[in-house]
Amino acid sequence: MGNRFQVKDRFADGAQYIDGQLRQGTSGQSHTVVDPATGQEVLTYELASTADVDEAVAAARRAFPAWSAATPGERSDALHRLAAVLTEQAEDFAYAESLQCGKPIKLSTEFDVPGTIDNTAFFAGAARHLQGQAAAEYSGDHTSYVRREAIGVVGSIAPWNYPLQMAAWKILPAIAAGNTIVLKPAELTPLTSLMFAQAAKDAGLPDGVINIVTGAGRDAGEHLVGHPDVVMTSFTGSTAVGKRVAEIATATVKRLHLELGGKAPFLVFDDADLEAAAHGAVAASLINTGQDCTAATRAYVQRPLYDAFVARVAELMETVRLGDPFDAATDLGPLVSHAQRDRVAGFVERARGYATVVTGGEVPDGALAGGAYYRPTLISGAAQDSEVVQSEIFGPVLVALPFDTDDEGIALANDTPYGLAASAWSRDVYRANRATREIKAGCVWVNDHIPIISEMPHGGYKASGFGKDMSAYSFEEYTQVKHVMYDNTAVAAKDWHRTIFGDRT
């Protein structure tokens, strides 16, 4: 990387961004961002209090009338400028994302940052297309049309696995639609969310449109979700926490968007290209060190291919290079924290009692021992109802299971509480098409697994939540639909009035 900014200098004024300014939190509690590759301190900052949340919501509320009244073209121009600023600062964003998350710099540089810039450019265009249904005379005597209006202050909570992209997924559709927002990033990874808000100011967006409060979930997060001036909550995170968010939001009758856990099946039929499926499984299970709610976690392989698939995946996993996230040759970085690494290791150690660890399943020693690293892991021989098959591990762990008939494979793919993403691997278009119809997931890939694009929606079924990120469909989350109806008759005593009073004349 080139000229890396100094994080402590950049955020010397604090890790809260309220009404266009960085400031310190006032909770009296501090938190330290740690580089998971080394265990070293990156930044220690003061967490947000409930009073800080109140100030951020008040700033967003003040900014709302003017921002919602801006023309779609004006909001579009502002987002185009933001995309340009993000492009100029791409190197700093990639560095900060890898530093706080431990993800390889090639992933930050080639996926997280360009994906966020593309999202910004997409919503710059989409801001001009907030359209309702065309006008028509549905009753015969009236003209009806539909308006899409901004709803107000949005209070969103983003996770730690993709801090930059998740911040963008929350912020962009909300502000493109004319809303203002208060975002609470994860305490572990606030840097790029704060930088995104600063970039928006550099691009000329008004103060108060984007606010960031970095605080504890049980304090700042719950207060934000329950705040009476927040009209909508968008949350990405675990299903367990999502249930708590839903409880608080429903109590205040808020609009709610939840993108929760996943346990994505990777369904390989016996006519699939084995080499393509094996390569796809390794990439899809190890992206972001497996800390991805759409990552492949359960490989169901039809029995004629099963043994060869397990052997080839194990062989490929053993070639994956763990190392310094800032080394361009590194394939796999550490997990986000030592606590997360130990959680993943616990799943694998318990699985040894009922399944086979084919490869991996260990913490590396030597130069990587101080970081939160864990080797790519493949498990076979687990039962469908076992913990490693049913629970979200969120680490570099893939479980392979055989199946016999197509019916069985699809049934197994659907046999968890989750339904966020899935893939089907087959050369037979009818077989693949059946899988896309019958697998209950918000995204089903065919002969690939993981790619996402700004133009298409992302969101789940079942315990994976509801609502969509990205795409024009996201405006359904962030706009109020209003029916406007004009009388065309200019008749004072209308015929329908007689159903209420008087007689037909």
Side-chain angles (χ1 to χ4, degrees), residues 390-410:
Q390 293 293 322
S391 299
E392 189 172 31
I393 299 172
F394 229 55
V397 179
L398 177 66
V399 185
L401 302 92
F403 70 92
D404 291 302
T405 67
D406 290 15
D407 288 350
E408 180 190 10
I410 291 172

Side-chain angles (χ1 to χ4, degrees), residues 35-39 289 333-339 341 363-364 368-374:
D35 175 357
T38 63
T289 319
L335 288 110
V336 74
S337 67
H338 287 76
R341 182 201 63 190
V363 174
L368 303 181
Y373 290 89
Y374 198 75

Side-chain angles (χ1 to χ4, degrees), residues 342-351 354 387-388 391-393:
D342 294 345
R343 179 181 179 275
V344 170
F347 276 100
V348 176
E349 290 309 306
R350 292 189 294 274
Y354 56 79
E387 180 187 47
V388 289
S391 299
E392 189 172 31
I393 299 172

Side-chain angles (χ1 to χ4, degrees), residues 112-362:
D112 296 76
V113 174
T116 300
I117 294 169
D118 186 72
N119 267 223
T120 306
F122 171 81
F123 280 107
R128 290 179 177 267
H129 297 283
L130 281 167
Q131 299 169 344
Q133 195 167 1
E137 287 69 48
Y138 295 98
S139 77
D141 291 337
H142 306 81
T143 296
S144 287
Y145 70 91
V146 170
R147 290 175 56 89
R148 279 193 178 273
E149 297 180 349
I151 57 176
V153 178
V154 177
S156 294
I157 299 177
W160 48 257
N161 57 332
Y162 289 102
L164 176 59
Q165 290 206 80
M166 295 297 100
W169 287 14
K170 301 301 181 196
I171 292 168
L172 291 168
I175 66 173
N179 303 292
T180 55
I181 189 167
V182 178
L183 175 77
K184 192 198 89 65
E187 304 96 295
L188 289 171
T189 55
L191 304 183
T192 46
S193 297
L194 293 163
M195 291 168 63
F196 189 91
Q198 290 176 305
K201 180 166 184 169
D202 293 344
L205 273 76
D207 292 347
V209 172
I210 301 172
N211 304 273
I212 309 293
V213 289
T214 309
R218 290 194 175 275
D219 299 319
E222 292 197 1
H223 189 65
L224 177 62
V225 173
H227 200 289
D229 291 332
V230 169
V231 298
M232 175 188 165
T233 290
S234 177
F235 169 81
T236 296
S238 71
T239 298
V241 177
K243 290 177 181 178
R244 176 61 180 157
V245 169
E247 288 174 3
I248 299 169
T250 353
T252 50
V253 200
K254 284 178 172 45
R255 186 175 297 197
L256 185 60
H257 168 215
L258 298 175
E259 199 262 88
L260 306 177
K263 191 70 178 173
F266 188 98
L267 186 61
V268 182
F269 294 103
D270 58 13
D271 67 327
D273 181 326
L274 176 63
E275 194 68 7
H279 278 81
V282 173
S285 62
L286 299 184
I287 184 171
N288 203 33
T289 319
Q291 299 166 126
D292 186 315
C293 47
T294 63
T297 61
R298 300 177 288 139
Y300 295 104
V301 186
Q302 208 149 23
R303 205 169 295 273
L305 289 186
Y306 178 73
D307 289 341
F309 176 87
V310 170
R312 185 59 174 140
V313 168
E315 183 180 39
L316 290 172
M317 279 189 170
E318 288 164 6
T319 70
V320 171
R321 298 163 297 187
L322 280 69
D324 176 2
F326 293 102
D327 184 338
T330 293
D331 297 321
L332 197 74
L335 288 110
V336 74
S337 67
H338 287 76
Q340 180 65 14
R341 182 201 63 190
D342 294 345
R343 179 181 179 275
V344 170
F347 276 100
V348 176
E349 290 309 306
R350 292 189 294 274
R352 293 184 192 277
Y354 56 79
T356 300
V357 177
V358 180
T359 189
E362 61 186 11

